[in-house]
Amino acid sequence: MVYFTKHPSRCKEKIVCISHIYGLLSVNASTLFIEDKGLSSMKRIAIIVNPLSGNGRGSNIWREIETELVRCAVSYELAMTTKPGDASRQATAYAREQAFDLLLVIGGDGTVHEAANGLLLSGAAEQQLRLGVIPAGTGNDFAKAYGVPRQPLEALYLALHGRGEAVIDVLALGGGARVAVNSFGAGFDGMVAKVTNEAGYKKRLARFGLGRLAYLLSILRVFATYQPQAARLEVDGLVHELPHMWLCAIANIPYYGGAIQICPSASPTDGLADVVVIQSRSRLRLLPVLLTVYQGKHTTHPAVTFYQGTAIKLSAGEPLLLQADGEIVGTTPLDVHVLPGTLRVCCAEGAAKTK
Ligand SMILES: Nc1ncnc2c1ncn2[C@@H]1O[C@H](COP(=O)(O)OP(=O)(O)OP(=O)(O)O)[C@@H](O)[C@H]1O
């Protein structure tokens, strides 16, 4: 774990006290206007950067953000990840310090997943840290769900401005040893996550800002060979036998896999998980689902079923790969429950409304 501290008192530039920093009012693409709003109790910003997210976009974006923060003499503490798991440990350390208002994550959904887990499993008595994201990954579904702009400085302004905030539900696996902020998924989508994360084309496409195409390529590859399995789903005690299950996703937000609208009606603030099941004996019958799922227009296809609930269990004849926010975290059986109103996140005004 690598920590850096940038504090106004150590900057050569004109010193601006942190209590003056948050009064950001007017914003345009290149200029940050700061206005004193007398926020004297404001604490510091904690930052986690995954420099390798989006095949190096994280590193480039951080340079742009750092320049802006230094220019505006914004006080912050920085932790760079050096390996998987760092973001979780760093978030835990920041939360336990209780010295920060905002945790800014520069990375993709995997880094957000780790940071959220680190925050929630930190044991910090009261969760004061808001989670803000500057999207730098391949899929960036979390950022999309909360209306975070793709342009890094605009995303920074959104997080610092602090007007849009949602207290979101999270999905807890098992006894709560792991949480997902976007979704859990088992079966076909677990396999797609595995193939994508291991594929050389993910890095190459991410370099040209085409990361979402990587997920589409993987979907087509897995679709050609995947064999559905018999599974048993339980939603709030109601059992559903699924003889030919392709996938079962438990969603907190509408998107996964790089802007696929798998559960268009999922809301992270309604206290419920949306469950989507895709079942079919025939591969060809699912082609229309493939063609419409990006726009969320697959919902009326007879192979697609939706449920809502707070406690979901899934088991299958043989273990199915399980993804959490796009990262492989094990296999079925799974047991997920909703933790309502658990995490404070920065969002665009109007995003993430309760349905
Ligand atoms: N410095 C690092 N070196 C290697 N792996 C890292 C490092 N930092 C984080 N990771 C791991 O990289 C994985 C992917 O990171 P991240 O999700 O941010 O980028 P991405 O895969 O490009 O984007 P997305 O998840 O949106 O598709 C995370 O699961 C994390 O564990």
Side-chain angles (χ1 to χ4, degrees):
M1 211 184 295
V2 184
Y3 285 103
F4 301 93
T5 304
K6 284 265 185 189
H7 192 274
S9 61
R10 289 169 217 162
C11 284
K12 286 182 190 155
E13 302 186 5
K14 184 183 172 203
I15 295 173
V16 179
C17 173
I18 188 64
S19 63
H20 293 190
I21 297 306
Y22 277 75
L24 311 177
L25 282 186
S26 329
V27 160
N28 67 31
S30 61
T31 318
L32 192 61
F33 296 96
I34 296 174
E35 186 173 295
D36 182 3
K37 292 187 85 182
L39 303 175
S40 55
S41 61
M42 225 23 118
K43 298 179 197 168
R44 289 176 295 158
I45 303 169
I47 301 178
I48 294 175
V49 178
N50 174 357
L52 299 189
S53 57
N55 195 31
R57 282 189 72 230
S59 177
N60 295 338
I61 288 174
W62 166 239
R63 274 197 287 276
E64 193 178 345
I65 297 295
E66 182 185 32
T67 303
E68 188 68 0
L69 292 176
V70 170
R71 192 179 72 76
C72 299
V74 173
S75 175
Y76 64 87
E77 197 155 312
L78 170 67
M80 287 278 198
T81 66
T82 58
K83 58 185 177 306
D86 273 358
S88 178
R89 288 185 284 275
Q90 289 158 348
T92 297
Y94 281 143
R96 288 188 179 155
E97 245 184 271
Q98 300 197 332
F100 304 99
D101 293 301
L102 171 67
L103 173 60
L104 199 56
V105 173
I106 301 179
D109 288 312
T111 309
V112 173
H113 171 82
E114 287 194 3
N117 272 274
L119 281 184
L120 295 174
L121 306 178
S122 67
E126 201 183 346
Q127 192 47 258
Q128 289 300 333
L129 264 175
R130 275 185 305 127
L131 178 65
V133 175
I134 298 188
T138 314
N140 301 316
D141 290 310
F142 183 90
K144 185 173 172 65
Y146 297 103
V148 177
R150 295 181 77 169
Q151 210 284 332
L153 290 184
E154 287 180 22
L156 173 68
Y157 308 146
L158 181 80
L160 293 182
H161 195 286
R163 270 199 305 201
E165 179 182 311
V167 183
I168 65 161
D169 312 329
V170 299
L171 307 172
L173 183 64
R178 181 183 292 274
V179 296
V181 285
N182 296 351
S183 62
F184 286 104
F188 180 79
D189 59 346
M191 188 62 82
V192 169
K194 180 176 189 295
V195 167
T196 308
N197 291 340
E198 291 172 355
Y201 53 74
K202 180 181 179 185
K203 287 183 177 172
R204 286 195 291 276
L205 288 167
R207 197 177 302 150
F208 298 107
L210 298 171
R212 286 177 180 166
L213 196 54
Y215 285 98
L216 178 59
L217 283 178
S218 303
I219 287 169
L220 296 176
R221 280 176 66 187
V222 177
F223 182 73
T225 56
Y226 192 79
Q227 293 299 326
Q229 303 288 329
R232 182 178 190 272
L233 172 69
E234 193 178 318
V235 181
D236 290 346
L238 278 179
V239 174
H240 309 275
E241 296 294 343
L242 312 171
H244 307 286
M245 191 195 85
W246 278 67
L247 71 81
C248 174
I250 303 163
N252 200 32
I253 61 171
Y255 312 103
Y256 78 178
I260 296 171
Q261 280 201 62
I262 189 71
C263 262
S265 63
S267 161
T269 55
D270 63 358
L272 295 169
D274 282 44
V275 182
V276 58
V277 170
I278 299 187
Q279 285 197 88
S280 176
R281 206 195 298 244
S282 145
R283 201 177 305 275
L284 278 183
R285 186 167 166 254
L286 290 183
L287 269 179
V289 177
L290 263 191
L291 296 175
T292 53
V293 70
Y294 272 89
Q295 293 78 36
K297 300 243 164 78
H298 59 302
T299 53
T300 53
H301 191 281
V304 184
T305 316
F306 291 92
Y307 307 92
Q308 278 190 325
T310 58
I312 295 101
K313 293 180 182 172
L314 181 75
S315 55
E318 54 186 76
L320 303 175
L321 280 177
L322 174 64
Q323 62 87 12
D325 300 339
E327 304 297 312
I328 297 297
V329 296
T331 55
T332 53
L334 68 78
D335 182 352
V336 167
H337 63 277
V338 179
L339 298 177
T342 299
L343 188 65
R344 294 171 65 206
V345 302
C346 303
C347 61
E349 277 183 291
K353 276 194 183 138
T354 308
K355 302 246 164 172

